[in-house]
Amino acid sequence: MLRMTFGAALSELRKAQKTSKGVSLYSRYVNRPLGRVCAAGAYVLGLRPNHVTLLSAAFTGGGIAAVALVRPGWALAVAVYALLVVGFALDSADGQLARLRRESSAAGEWLDHVVDCAKVTAVHAAVLVSFYRFFDLSSDAWLLLPLGFQLAAVLIFCGGLLADKLKPKPAPGSPAPAPAAPPSRLRAVALLPVDYGVFCVVFLLLGSEGAFLAGYTALAVAAALFLIAFMAKWFRELSAAS
């Protein structure tokens, strides 16, 4: 079978995008388009979806390791941001490539979620290490901030996955659900504080301890507030469905 060109693959990927419901503006207009470009390039190179997932892990892992091991500065800030953004784009690309190659699998989805879970936990652990090794903190209480942020991020990640898996699926032969309402732009804006792509931006502030602490703290507070809202929503939806 003839392989598509880069342009043809990119065109096919544009036609096979997932719904934008529940997706922030960053993911909709930045990360998914970057992921399409990466997926089309991976297709031309003959890579498989799992290869792209592992590439995503390598870029993200490199950025996270740099946070923990290198003294903060503006050069580090740019390098970490670039590594994390590329890793996030590749995280979107693996699923898009799987749909393009018609190779979606339970094993591939499992690997993708394992890498995502490792990323969510490791990035805040790296910030904790950096705080301890390099930052001139006014109090040791600041070391609790990455732990709290990590807890909120893990609970949002795992809670969302479980809620999606536990929601009852329509019985075979049941009437088709009503067409979904168009994605809300207001919701897409509201979700920006808990979008991983927006979180990556805070690492551009690593050249200034004060600016990074302020930005990281603001996103940690946002994550805690969203956690409360999400948990109430998921519990309510699952209770109504049971």
Side-chain angles (χ1 to χ4, degrees):
M1 183 176 67
L2 292 175
R3 297 186 64 81
M4 288 184 284
T5 63
F6 177 85
L10 196 58
S11 178
E12 285 297 312
L13 287 164
R14 289 195 185 100
K15 300 174 186 175
Q17 289 299 293
K18 294 192 295 185
T19 177
S20 295
K21 184 178 180 181
V23 175
S24 84
L25 284 183
Y26 180 91
S27 288
R28 189 185 305 181
Y29 293 114
V30 179
N31 197 57
R32 282 187 177 179
L34 284 175
R36 283 199 296 271
V37 173
C38 293
Y43 175 84
V44 171
L45 292 172
L47 299 180
R48 309 291 287 272
N50 288 348
H51 297 152
V52 177
T53 302
L54 294 175
L55 275 175
S56 171
F59 274 92
T60 301
I64 291 172
V67 172
L69 299 175
V70 181
R71 182 172 294 279
W74 294 114
L76 177 68
V78 173
V80 168
Y81 174 72
L83 288 167
L84 295 181
V85 166
V86 173
F88 191 33
L90 289 169
D91 183 35
S92 173
D94 56 6
Q96 298 192 54
L97 179 62
R99 290 191 293 277
L100 181 64
R101 294 177 59 104
R102 295 174 176 82
E103 291 183 357
S104 297
S105 68
E109 184 178 0
W110 173 85
L111 180 62
D112 184 46
H113 288 324
V114 167
V115 170
D116 284 344
C117 186
K119 170 178 70 182
V120 168
T121 54
V123 69
H124 297 291
V127 171
L128 174 60
V129 172
S130 183
F131 278 3
Y132 182 77
R133 296 185 65 197
F134 304 120
F135 278 63
D136 184 20
L137 301 173
S138 59
S139 168
D140 287 345
W142 280 107
L143 298 176
L144 297 175
L145 178 63
L147 294 177
F149 201 160
Q150 182 186 67
L151 177 62
V154 169
L155 286 175
I156 289 173
F157 177 75
C158 294
L161 281 179
L162 284 171
D164 183 61
K165 295 297 182 184
L166 293 174
K167 285 178 184 176
K169 303 297 185 287
S174 60
S184 166
R185 183 169 292 271
L186 180 61
R187 178 179 172 81
V189 172
L191 287 171
L192 282 172
V194 287
D195 188 291
Y196 181 78
V198 174
F199 171 68
C200 293
V201 174
V202 79
F203 288 95
L204 283 174
L205 303 176
L206 270 175
S208 166
E209 286 190 13
F212 181 79
L213 277 172
Y216 188 80
T217 300
L219 290 180
V221 171
L225 294 175
F226 271 90
L227 172 64
I228 295 169
F230 285 150
M231 288 297 179
K233 174 179 178 290
W234 293 327
F235 185 81
R236 185 174 62 251
E237 289 175 346
L238 291 172
S239 296
S242 61

